[in-house]
Amino acid sequence: MKMKVKDPSLAPQGRLQIEWAEAHMPVLMKIRERFSKEKPLKDIKVAASLHVTKETAVLVRTLKAGGAEVYLAPSNPLSTQDDVAAALAEFGIEVYAWRGMSPEEYEWALGKVLESGPNITMDDGGDLTVMAHERGVASSVRGGTEETTTGVIRIRALEKEGILKYPVIAVNNAETKWNFDNVYGTGQSTIDGILRATNVMIAGKWFVVAGYGHVGRGIAARARGMGAKVIVTEVDPIRALMAVMDGFLVMPMKEAAKIGDIFVTATGNRDVITAEHVSLMKDGAILANAGHFNVEISVKDLDLMAMSKREIRKSVMEYTLPNGRRVYLLAEGRLVNLVAAEGHPSEVMDMSFANQALAVELLVNDGEKLPPKVHQVPREVDERVASLKLESMGVSIDTLTDEQRKYLESWRLE
Ligand code: NAD
Ligand code: ADE
């Protein structure tokens, strides 16, 4: 096998990490048990671009248990857990990933997994899907999955231009993904990333969250829970109104820039914090990003405007501005939760990756019948994932009686 990881001797440590994740991902492990018996992915090649974490390891081992050959590249140059990558290589996953890849190495890794001639692509952010289309690999692909909001937006844009060549299931948009991973997962892990990088006190600080979508909502709630005074910035009037009614201060970034101690972008958009905002900030302001790409905080602007910069702690770059103030950029403006911490906890990735595994099975069975569009995860799959998760947590719920079901389906008030 021709794989490439940073240090194969880290494999024993990586195996323990994976074992820990497995113990916290009961839904995916249940799917693995069935996959091991039924082998629904026999002879299927899966090319994946995902953050190479212990949770991703549980997913790709589940696909392998189902009979698939798995080729794994990262979905961000800085998010790979090198011990996990080393363990995966030993487990027979063809992995091309290490932390701190250059842009060229990152592109090379994606190219390597596509060389396998995959039947399925599994993407987080859209880079692999776009490359499959650019490199003429797409025509032999039966279907793909997409893990995150930004990736779904990019793949919808391919569809809109009429150049999407195969069906892609928007795993991100499953209720058991978007309303849990993006909200509670990113809420907790973003705070975790900020704390591991800085160890600053959150209580009493002005904490600015840009974007009140799924991710922003989770971060704002967790920051408030730790005693921060939270300000939200938005461009969508409905989302802004939700933030107001949830009790947050809402104002434009130009106003928030003067007040904030900690800023987190979570918009999926570019240039949310630029030189214009940075020049208004207080000495000591901390800037972090939770959105998929490193374009939300303009790192280019920071580099251009700063008199000097130095790495003051791991994942913390201090920029000294012409006005003498200092601002601190975390994790190079990349996903702070995956670069400065370990990403979302296993418990929530359990649901996201259960949807991924079931979406792959669906594409293997029905992919050839689906048109080359972006498809939703079927409701039954979403409900199955939720039911299994509840069961694993020892929570039972009520069921509708026949009378109640009829009542809910009728216009008569009998
Ligand atoms: P979403 O569509 O639910 O929310 C995005 C919000 O940002 C929207 O309300 C939108 O109006 C707002 N917005 C857009 N431009 C803005 C601007 N200039 N200023 C202020 N607000 C603006 O999307 P989401 O699911 O919350 O995802 C947000 C980003 O986070 C995406 O890039 C997604 O891929 C990424 N993501 C990251 C992680 C992680 O682990 N860090 C996990 C899930 C999603
Ligand atoms: N995205 C966010 N957290 C993650 C994790 N723990 N593993 C893989 N992808 C992630």
Side-chain angles (χ1 to χ4, degrees):
M1 266 200 186
K2 317 164 252 34
M3 49 195 85
K4 194 158 185 236
V5 298
K6 178 154 302 161
D7 180 358
S9 76
L10 296 174
Q13 187 185 313
R15 274 203 303 274
L16 293 176
Q17 295 293 336
I18 297 170
E19 200 181 311
W20 178 258
E22 282 171 350
H24 295 87
M25 301 179 84
V27 179
L28 194 54
M29 291 304 280
K30 196 151 200 166
I31 295 170
R32 186 188 290 179
E33 210 178 293
R34 177 171 67 77
F35 275 16
S36 303
K37 287 187 209 125
E38 297 175 5
K39 302 283 175 204
L41 313 183
K42 190 169 175 291
D43 300 329
I44 293 293
K45 286 185 194 165
V46 179
S49 163
L50 298 169
H51 300 293
V52 181
T53 63
K54 59 191 185 305
E55 291 75 27
T56 295
V58 183
L59 170 62
V60 296
R61 293 196 67 208
T62 299
L63 302 177
K64 191 166 191 298
E69 265 175 43
V70 186
Y71 300 79
L72 179 63
S75 58
N76 183 292
L78 287 187
S79 62
T80 298
Q81 295 166 4
D82 287 316
D83 51 354
V84 170
L88 282 177
E90 275 195 357
F91 282 130
I93 304 294
E94 197 156 316
V95 52
Y96 299 91
W98 60 95
R99 184 171 286 245
M101 283 177 145
S102 67
E104 295 73 26
E105 288 165 337
Y106 175 73
E107 196 181 322
W108 168 83
L110 264 58
K112 286 307 275 182
V113 301
L114 288 178
E115 274 174 20
S116 65
N119 309 104
I120 302 286
T121 60
M122 182 176 273
D123 207 352
D124 184 335
D127 287 346
L128 187 71
T129 314
V130 168
M131 189 184 275
H133 282 73
E134 286 169 346
R135 300 208 173 165
V137 181
S139 46
S140 58
V141 177
R142 199 177 298 185
T145 65
E146 173 50 58
E147 169 75 8
T148 198
T149 317
T150 286
V152 172
I153 290 171
R154 294 177 76 198
I155 296 168
R156 283 221 171 99
L158 283 177
E159 179 190 332
K160 198 162 165 215
E161 287 182 27
I163 49 179
L164 184 65
K165 287 219 155 55
Y166 55 81
V168 176
I169 299 186
V171 167
N172 179 68
N173 298 19
E175 281 204 54
T176 47
K177 199 283 180 182
W178 213 1
N179 286 330
F180 296 88
D181 168 317
N182 299 33
V183 182
Y184 305 103
T186 322
Q188 177 169 318
S189 61
T190 297
I191 302 283
D192 185 16
I194 294 170
L195 291 182
R196 289 199 207 190
T198 65
N199 198 29
V200 295
M201 184 86 170
I202 303 273
K205 294 263 186 333
W206 284 105
F207 195 109
V208 179
V209 180
Y212 201 65
H214 295 74
V215 169
R217 179 149 61 88
I219 298 169
R222 292 298 174 253
R224 173 157 65 189
M226 293 189 75
K229 297 170 286 185
V230 179
I231 298 172
V232 168
T233 73
E234 250 298 343
V235 291
D236 177 329
I238 299 171
R239 293 273 170 87
L241 192 56
M242 285 168 68
V244 171
M245 297 238 175
D246 284 341
F248 296 111
L249 282 173
V250 176
M251 62 184 76
M253 184 56 88
K254 265 198 232 166
E255 294 302 315
K258 296 178 212 156
I259 304 171
D261 298 301
I262 300 172
F263 294 80
V264 181
T265 51
T267 69
N269 207 346
R270 59 178 298 170
D271 302 331
V272 178
I273 293 180
T274 62
E276 181 188 20
H277 307 112
V278 172
S279 58
L280 298 170
M281 286 178 184
K282 301 194 290 201
D283 184 39
I286 291 169
L287 315 182
N289 169 50
H292 187 77
F293 283 117
N294 58 338
V295 295
E296 305 212 11
I297 300 168
S298 176
V299 184
K300 198 172 79 197
D301 279 11
L302 278 171
D303 281 330
L304 279 174
M305 71 195 291
M307 306 298 287
S308 61
K309 70 173 185 180
R310 61 177 175 153
E311 189 176 44
I312 189 158
R313 285 165 65 92
K314 194 160 172 262
S315 298
V316 185
M317 189 64 81
E318 177 189 73
Y319 288 83
T320 303
L321 306 176
N323 60 15
R325 294 180 200 156
R326 293 151 303 172
V327 296
Y328 296 92
L329 177 68
L330 309 190
E332 301 178 19
R334 295 188 187 273
L335 301 145
V336 70
N337 61 329
L338 281 142
V339 177
E342 294 172 65
H344 302 350
S346 307
E347 289 89 335
V348 81
M349 293 312 294
D350 191 22
M351 293 194 278
S352 311
F353 285 168
N355 278 293
Q356 283 283 6
L358 297 175
V360 170
E361 185 180 30
L362 194 147
L363 287 168
V364 168
N365 292 337
D366 295 328
E368 269 148 4
K369 291 181 230 151
L370 294 174
K373 289 181 179 295
V374 174
H375 297 265
Q376 296 300 106
V377 171
R379 184 75 194 172
E380 317 82 78
V381 171
D382 227 342
E383 286 183 359
R384 199 175 342 142
V385 171
S387 299
L388 287 170
K389 190 70 188 174
L390 284 170
E391 194 184 304
S392 77
M393 296 166 91
V395 178
S396 47
I397 61 172
D398 290 321
T399 44
L400 289 172
T401 62
D402 288 344
E403 288 72 24
Q404 284 175 326
R405 196 181 302 282
K406 265 188 233 145
Y407 178 82
L408 291 174
E409 285 166 1
S410 170
W411 56 267
R412 288 184 186 85
L413 291 175
E414 287 164 5

